[in-house]
């Protein structure tokens, strides 16, 4: 057992405590309380936004080198502590220890990348249509940003939202996910330790009411949200109603096409990684495996054998290959979808049963469902768990049509030895990101991230594209 943390809000550089009526539990061993947390509301949001608004002028007008140095120091501190922070992440979210440490290192690299971007923000010099007139464009900070982050990447996603906001001179109020607040608070504390001025970064822990208070607050200039479609739609409506900037990432139902000419062993490993690692709790996970006739039966048999062999257990056990679901509700949701798929005619190739391990936890047996039809719910609704379904097709064109046939469009992949089909897929797949002979899950932090259709709304996240959302362009004319 490990000591339980007592969490606080961060408002104007101070840790604000009070009663802590809520708890986050270790999903690998629900007898362990990871953290006790306060339950904030509109009063805390008001105070946090006021602090961010007051801090904005000095922070936005500071030398970019000041902002760069803070982010760089924070990245160094986080990288030095990646094992301890990764262990906390795994205790709180349920990822394997290797995944927790890896995500923490990724967050550190994101901070360091945007430390560099703070110094690279640039504009243009343009010739005017009028003689003697010069035109320049440059980017400026926008103001106060409200960030609402999910539980599945509890340090990487807060980092990739906070780092560009801060790098470009904005101030922030973040609401972390209620299931994983301890990991987020660790990141906020490290940024303050690195020298972030009071009020520049604030955090309010709480339930949905905290997020709604941020959405509705007249002094919040922009909102970045990652979560479900239903909640995201409400965030967008609230932001547009008062003309605030808004950016949404809302999941996927990502297809992986496997053609007859694919290398079978590579295709199986790609599907295993994309569908089941991180317990399938990735918005980019390969949840629909669209497999051509000639390779279908061999692929399903080989993948089922690999899935069956996955070692499920305590996230901190070095032998564990897949940790538990993040919560009891998430576990039960996954099993409901398995039952629905079975009732609609899907064949359980492996898995699908309840798990009883040596300690109480929210474990899910990794499940492969074969012989499904494109119109089944398992192929159209986001499960967000260790479940993948297979659909048999005759041709590449049929596979592509099915891949494009849902309201989601985040990530899409193909496994093939055909350059012709690979290039065609890259152009015609209706997704924000395409993968050729790679898992649909697994993206770099220095390039744009985002989807099409109902997966994403607004400007892209990450990489050089982050400046589009976290800055505004000013056009300056002068005559001499």
């Amino acid at each position: 057992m490990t000591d339980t943390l007592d969490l606080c809000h961060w408002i104007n550089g101070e840790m604000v405590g009070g009663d802590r009526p809520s708890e986050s539990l270790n999903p690998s061993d629900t007898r362990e309380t990871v953290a006790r947390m306060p339950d904030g509301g509109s009063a805390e949001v008001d105070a946090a936004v006021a602090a961010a608004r007051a801090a904005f002028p000095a922070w936005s007008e500071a030398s970019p080198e000041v902002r760069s140095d803070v982010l760089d120091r924070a990245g160094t501190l986080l990288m030095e502590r990646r094992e301890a922070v990764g262990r906390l992440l795994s205790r709180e979210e349920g990822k394997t220890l290797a995944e927790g440490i890896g995500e923490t290192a990724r967050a550190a690299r994101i901070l360091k990348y945007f430390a560099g971007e703070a110094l690279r923000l640039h504009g243009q010099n343009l010739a005017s249509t009028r003689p003697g007139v010069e035109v320049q464009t440059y980017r400026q900070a926008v103001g106060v940003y409200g960030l609402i982050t999910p539980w599945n990447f509890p340090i990487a996603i807060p980092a990739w939202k906070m780092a560009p906001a801060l790098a470009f001179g904005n101030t922030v109020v973040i609401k972390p996910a209620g299931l994983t607040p301890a990991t987020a608070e660790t990141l906020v504390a490290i940024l303050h330790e690195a020298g972030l001025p009071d009020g520049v970064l604030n955090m309010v822990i709480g339930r949905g009411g905290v997020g709604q208070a941020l959405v509705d607050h007249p002094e919040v200039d922009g909102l970045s949200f990652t979560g479900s479609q239903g909640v995201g739609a409400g965030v967008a409506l609230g932001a547009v109603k008062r003309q605030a900037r808004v950016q949404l990432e809302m999941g996927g139902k990502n297809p992986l096409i496997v053609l007859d000419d694919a290398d079978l062993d590579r295709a199986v490993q790609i599907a295993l990684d994309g569908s089941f690692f991180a317990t399938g709790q990735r918005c980019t996970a390969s949840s629909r495996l669209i497999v051509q006739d000639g390779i279908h039966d061999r692929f399903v048999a080989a993948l089922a054998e690999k899935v069956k062999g996955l070692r499920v257990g305590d996230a901190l056990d070095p032998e564990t290959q897949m940790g538990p679901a993040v919560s009891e509700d998430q576990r039960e949701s996954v099993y409901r979808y398995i039952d629905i798929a079975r009732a609609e005619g899907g064949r359980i190739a492996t898995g699908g049963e309840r798990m009883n391990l040596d300690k109480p936890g929210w474990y899910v047996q990794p499940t492969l469902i074969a012989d499904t039809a494109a119109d089944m719910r398992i192929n159209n609704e986001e499960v967000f768990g260790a479940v993948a379904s297979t659909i048999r097709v005759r041709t590449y064109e049929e596979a592509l049509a099915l891949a494009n046939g849902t309201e989601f469009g985040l990530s899409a992949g193909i496994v093939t030895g055909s350059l012709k089909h690979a290039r065609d897929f890259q152009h015609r797949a209706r997704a924000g990101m395409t993968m050729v002979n790679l898992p649909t899950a697994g993206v770099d932090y220095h390039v744009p991230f985002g989807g099409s259709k109902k997966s994403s709304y607004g400007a892209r996240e990450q990489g050089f594209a982050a400046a589009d959302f976290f800055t505004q362009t000013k056009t300056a004319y002068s005559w001499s």
Side-chain angles (χ1 to χ4, degrees):
M1 302 290 282
T2 308
D3 290 341
T4 300
L5 301 175
D6 286 328
L7 305 184
C8 297
H9 310 298
W10 282 80
I11 299 174
N12 201 27
E14 296 183 357
M15 300 175 69
V16 180
D19 294 337
R20 296 180 175 87
S22 300
E23 295 179 336
S24 66
L25 302 180
N26 181 348
S28 296
D29 186 347
T30 55
R31 297 169 299 185
E32 179 188 352
T33 300
V34 176
R36 290 182 288 264
M37 68 200 82
D39 192 5
S42 58
E44 287 79 11
V45 170
D46 286 345
V49 173
R53 178 60 65 192
F56 175 71
W59 182 246
S60 62
E61 293 168 11
S63 165
E65 192 171 62
V66 171
R67 299 194 292 269
S68 176
D69 287 349
V70 170
L71 291 172
D72 186 63
R73 281 194 295 270
T76 297
L77 290 171
L78 186 57
M79 187 64 79
E80 290 172 350
R81 301 171 192 176
R82 63 188 179 276
E83 293 190 8
V85 177
R87 185 179 182 85
L88 172 62
L89 191 160
S90 295
R91 284 177 58 221
E92 189 174 46
E93 196 272 349
K95 290 183 180 180
T96 65
L97 184 56
E99 290 169 335
I101 294 171
E103 183 183 334
T104 303
R106 178 188 180 91
R109 293 188 176 99
I110 289 168
L111 294 173
K112 284 185 167 290
Y113 171 82
F114 280 106
E117 290 298 279
L119 298 169
R120 285 189 286 266
L121 198 62
H122 58 80
Q124 294 177 306
N125 287 317
L126 301 165
S128 173
T129 58
R130 293 167 288 173
V133 176
E134 294 182 351
V135 182
Q136 295 175 319
T137 69
Y138 54 95
R139 293 181 179 270
Q140 291 183 314
V142 175
V144 178
Y145 276 87
L147 311 179
I148 302 172
T149 60
W151 48 260
N152 63 320
F153 285 92
I155 197 164
I157 292 181
W160 87 42
K161 291 182 189 294
M162 285 194 290
L166 297 172
F168 302 140
N170 302 285
T171 54
V172 167
V173 179
I174 182 170
K175 178 212 172 294
L179 293 172
T180 54
T183 307
E185 194 204 32
T186 299
L187 178 59
V188 171
I190 285 174
L191 279 158
H192 280 90
E193 183 181 344
L196 203 64
D198 293 350
V200 170
L201 172 61
N202 307 272
M203 182 180 72
V204 180
I205 298 170
R207 307 181 192 219
V210 171
Q212 192 62 53
L214 278 173
V215 170
D216 294 338
H217 204 289
E219 291 293 313
V220 172
D221 300 295
L223 293 152
S224 181
F225 167 86
T226 299
S228 68
Q229 279 190 340
V231 177
V235 171
L237 286 172
V240 171
K241 182 170 61 177
R242 57 181 190 79
Q243 298 180 318
R245 292 184 170 209
V246 64
Q247 174 188 70
L248 309 176
E249 292 295 342
M250 297 173 290
K253 192 66 187 172
N254 308 295
L256 178 70
I257 295 173
V258 181
L259 296 185
D260 286 347
D261 62 4
D263 179 294
L264 178 62
D265 291 340
R266 183 168 182 82
V268 168
Q269 189 58 45
I270 285 170
L272 186 73
D273 181 318
S275 301
F276 296 99
F277 290 169
T279 320
Q281 295 175 152
R282 296 185 284 188
C283 56
T284 52
S286 309
S287 55
R288 293 183 294 146
L289 309 177
I290 302 170
V291 188
Q292 200 172 3
D293 229 3
I295 200 173
H296 178 275
D297 291 349
R298 289 180 294 137
F299 173 83
V300 170
L303 180 58
E305 193 65 25
K306 289 282 190 180
V307 173
K308 185 178 180 181
L310 288 175
R311 183 184 175 101
V312 180
D314 191 315
L316 300 183
D317 184 340
E319 300 298 316
T320 293
Q321 294 173 288
M322 194 183 91
V326 71
S327 68
E328 182 177 16
D329 285 348
Q330 193 64 27
R331 179 190 66 183
E332 293 309 305
S333 176
V334 171
Y335 277 114
R336 279 196 300 273
Y337 273 107
I338 293 171
D339 291 342
I340 289 167
R342 186 187 283 119
E344 289 186 341
R347 174 175 64 86
I348 306 298
T350 189
E353 302 300 325
R354 297 278 175 168
M355 300 193 74
N356 293 307
L357 302 186
D358 60 355
K359 59 184 64 174
W362 293 310
Y363 298 101
V364 174
Q365 189 173 46
T367 301
L368 180 65
I369 306 172
D371 303 330
T372 70
D375 60 354
M376 289 181 179
R377 287 181 63 185
I378 196 68
N379 289 318
N380 290 279
E381 299 174 17
E382 189 173 34
V383 178
F384 221 68
V387 177
S389 53
T390 67
I391 308 171
R392 186 193 298 261
V393 295
R394 294 185 302 277
T395 67
Y396 165 72
E397 289 294 335
E398 183 184 358
L400 181 64
L402 288 179
N404 289 336
T406 72
E407 63 183 11
F408 293 97
L410 184 54
S411 182
I414 189 169
V415 189
T416 180
S418 166
L419 178 62
K420 173 186 173 181
H421 286 139
R423 292 300 189 201
D424 184 78
F425 176 80
Q426 285 181 319
H427 287 287
R428 294 171 63 198
R430 295 189 62 200
M433 298 175 289
T434 58
M435 310 290 182
V436 175
N437 295 326
L438 291 166
T440 59
V443 297
D444 292 349
Y445 58 85
H446 68 300
V447 296
F449 176 95
S452 64
K453 298 189 278 188
K454 291 189 176 180
S455 284
S456 301
Y457 180 85
R460 287 287 189 254
E461 293 195 276
Q462 295 199 75
F464 56 85
D468 293 336
F469 183 66
F470 288 108
T471 66
Q472 56 192 349
T473 298
K474 178 170 282 187
T475 304
Y477 295 85
S478 60
W479 178 81
S480 58

